[in-house]
Amino acid sequence: MTTDAEIQTALPALASGNVAVITGAASGIGLAAAKRLAAMGMNIVLVDIGGARLDEARRAVAAIAGDSAVLAVATDVSKADELDRLAERTFGAFGDVSLLMNNAGVGNNPGKPWENRDAWKRLLDINFWGVVHGVEAFAPRMLAAGKPGLIVNTGSKQGITTPPGNLAYNVSKAGVKTYTEGLAHALRNEPGASVAAHLLIPGFTFTGLTEGATEKPAGAWTGEQVIDFMLASLLRGDFYILCPDNEATRSMDEKRMGWAIGDLIENRPALSRWHPDYKDAFAAFMTRTA
Ligand SMILES: NC(=O)c1ccc[n+]([C@@H]2O[C@H](COP(=O)([O-])OP(=O)(O)OC[C@H]3O[C@@H](n4cnc5c(N)ncnc54)[C@H](O)[C@@H]3O)[C@@H](O)[C@H]2O)c1
């Protein structure tokens, strides 16, 4: 088991006294990150839509880090000007930011691909543009500071294997994946910069987004498990933080991703994993070794 001291020695961006900005921090994975990083001595900026949940999260994180180490800022990440104001407040209060977690997200947008345009746009504004707005607001000053920094954007396996049923969400998370890959490339080509980008890909995680469940389904991880895994992955320098859960192992995810890109390479129909003609071939592929 890696200790926090080992993590903080290897990753100076996470040093005690540094500042982490976390969107979607009033619940789930974001709140778990806030609590864990607060326990490591970081100052925490909690970002979420305002209301009682954000107040409650502020109290919970302040109980760990102390009042002066926590700032809670009601912000709608879909609005670029709100992110800019957040950055002003954050740099005004703490002077520096070394970890940005663009993690806020919303889930289901049922309906056919040609339905619900307003809901589609709203979902993309939060899940995709919210990430871009966060990077725009914070990355220039993180780079200008010339210090080690990390930007972690939360994607999803649904943005990689794109299962049917939630197309707007899949599109938003595919966008986050592509954007974050491009961001990582751009950051490593910035002369003298030591800010790196990473893509957090949670598995099935029991959070506010896990609809319908009142207690953790056996197959799900907790937000705390995701954050432990994220820290271990950052320590290894992994760009893709591909979390397993209690149902999906890494090996299963590798096969599912391999099959998905195989649609293109093998010239199969789109989403053939869910096509009746490919049911047996996919099942056989999943059981194949090596
Ligand atoms: N739970 C899972 O199984 C799972 C799997 C893969 C990816 N994810 C991703 O993880 C991230 C965190 O989600 P979670 O599972 O912790 O869910 P959650 O609902 O517990 O947390 C998401 C938070 O984002 C906030 N939010 C929503 N819209 C916002 C906006 N416009 N501005 C600011 N904040 C906003 C919500 O208020 C909420 O507190 C999301 O990006 C989600 O897509 C979750």
Side-chain angles (χ1 to χ4, degrees):
M1 177 79 185
T2 319
T3 65
D4 288 351
E6 283 168 320
I7 294 168
Q8 290 177 299
T9 303
L11 296 168
L14 305 184
S16 181
N18 279 13
V19 180
V21 176
I22 306 164
T23 74
S27 173
I29 293 166
L31 180 57
K35 288 180 175 169
R36 180 67 197 276
L37 296 164
M40 289 164 66
M42 294 190 79
N43 295 297
I44 308 293
V45 181
L46 300 159
V47 184
D48 211 298
I49 49 178
R53 278 192 309 111
L54 182 57
D55 296 341
E56 179 50 40
R58 201 202 65 76
R59 276 193 292 277
V61 178
I64 300 167
D67 251 334
S68 61
V70 185
L71 185 65
V73 186
T75 306
D76 180 343
V77 299
S78 72
K79 304 210 162 70
D81 59 333
E82 294 200 17
L83 268 296
D84 292 341
R85 275 203 295 277
L86 169 73
E88 286 306 319
R89 272 197 73 183
T90 300
F91 285 101
F94 293 117
D96 231 347
V97 169
S98 63
L99 170 65
L100 171 65
M101 282 187 71
N102 288 305
N103 166 77
V106 291
N108 210 9
N109 175 33
K112 303 217 162 72
W114 50 88
E115 293 174 346
N116 302 333
R117 181 197 292 149
D118 290 346
W120 260 84
K121 287 194 168 177
R122 179 72 188 142
L123 190 147
L124 286 169
D125 280 345
I126 297 169
N127 288 14
F128 175 69
W129 281 105
V131 171
V132 180
H133 295 155
V135 173
E136 287 172 343
F138 286 93
R141 275 182 271 193
M142 290 173 74
L143 285 165
K147 297 178 188 167
L150 295 169
I151 299 175
V152 179
N153 296 335
T154 306
S156 169
K157 293 174 192 177
Q158 289 186 231
I160 302 170
T161 56
T162 61
N166 200 352
L167 187 54
Y169 185 82
N170 294 354
V171 169
S172 74
K173 293 298 185 178
V176 170
K177 170 182 176 285
T178 304
Y179 177 78
T180 308
E181 289 165 342
L183 176 68
H185 175 82
L187 289 172
R188 70 174 173 253
N189 284 293
E190 275 291 304
S194 48
V195 179
H198 299 264
L199 183 69
L200 174 62
I201 311 163
F204 178 30
T205 313
F206 182 54
T207 66
L209 219 68
T210 324
E211 285 162 42
T214 49
E215 62 182 62
K216 189 182 86 57
W221 265 19
T222 62
E224 288 73 20
Q225 284 177 290
V226 169
I227 297 307
D228 281 347
F229 190 87
M230 178 187 86
L231 292 173
S233 302
L234 289 173
L235 189 61
R236 282 193 300 271
D238 297 347
F239 169 78
Y240 297 102
I241 304 173
L242 180 66
C243 303
D245 54 44
N246 294 338
E247 281 166 350
T249 62
R250 181 173 177 100
S251 151
M252 287 161 72
D253 280 331
E254 285 174 359
K255 288 201 175 106
R256 288 169 177 169
M257 292 186 295
W259 182 271
I261 194 66
D263 282 351
L264 189 65
I265 296 165
E266 309 285 337
N267 197 20
R268 294 189 295 250
L271 301 181
S272 69
R273 178 175 158 192
W274 295 275
H275 190 304
D277 292 356
Y278 291 83
K279 192 167 177 282
D280 294 343
F282 175 68
F285 181 82
M286 286 301 287
T287 55
R288 214 167 67 187
T289 47

